[in-house]
Amino acid sequence: MPRTANDSDVLCVEDDPDIARILQLMIEATPGRRALVARDGASALKLLDRGDVGLALVDLGLPDLDGVDLVREIHRRAPQTRIVVITAYHERRGEAIAAGASAFLGKPFDPEQIVALVERHERNGMDH
């Protein structure tokens, strides 16, 4: 199915290549849906500035930038983008939500949770 003007990309910011690949596969399992994968904060911001990102999945443990700072910057640059933090740092949940994240998903996660998150976003957005 071709992409339409209403389609938006899902930005996946994850430094672990295996997890990044799982995220990409789960997102792109639906025809017309596209994942933009970044392994660090700088790459994520470049992709954000170039694309139509409706949803960002952000790991907090990045090599070049604190994930909460990245959440804050995504929220500043693209306030319409919903941000879901995916991390093993469960104690940082409140900090991530305060920075602009819409939701928090702890690692390890079931890949089907990613599909459910994206589908929920596409249906009606996520509550802050």
Side-chain angles (χ1 to χ4, degrees):
M1 178 168 77
R3 291 170 53 87
T4 69
N6 293 329
D7 288 338
S8 61
D9 296 325
V10 178
L11 176 62
C12 301
V13 188
E14 173 59 62
D15 62 325
D16 181 306
D18 294 329
I19 295 174
R21 184 69 179 142
I22 289 168
L23 292 172
Q24 182 178 14
L25 289 171
M26 297 311 295
I27 290 162
E28 293 182 349
T30 298
R33 198 182 290 150
R34 183 171 69 163
L36 305 176
V37 179
R39 300 282 168 83
D40 57 46
S43 300
L45 293 173
K46 286 178 187 171
L47 289 171
L48 180 73
D49 290 342
R50 286 197 327 230
D52 175 26
V53 176
L55 178 65
L57 307 177
V58 179
D59 181 23
L60 294 185
L62 300 173
D64 65 337
L65 184 63
D66 180 75
V68 171
D69 291 337
L70 179 60
V71 167
R72 196 173 289 113
E73 186 62 19
I74 292 170
H75 187 66
R76 186 186 72 76
R77 291 185 187 195
Q80 76 287 353
T81 298
R82 301 289 184 173
I83 305 166
V84 177
V85 169
I86 301 176
T87 188
Y89 300 105
H90 300 263
E91 68 278 3
R92 298 194 71 194
R93 177 187 179 114
E95 188 181 358
I97 298 296
S102 301
F104 186 95
L105 181 61
K107 289 181 182 176
F109 59 86
D110 179 341
E112 290 299 320
Q113 290 177 289
I114 301 303
V115 173
L117 271 171
V118 174
E119 288 174 353
R120 179 175 158 207
H121 166 73
E122 289 175 347
R123 268 196 321 273
N124 55 12
M126 293 179 206
D127 299 327
H128 275 290

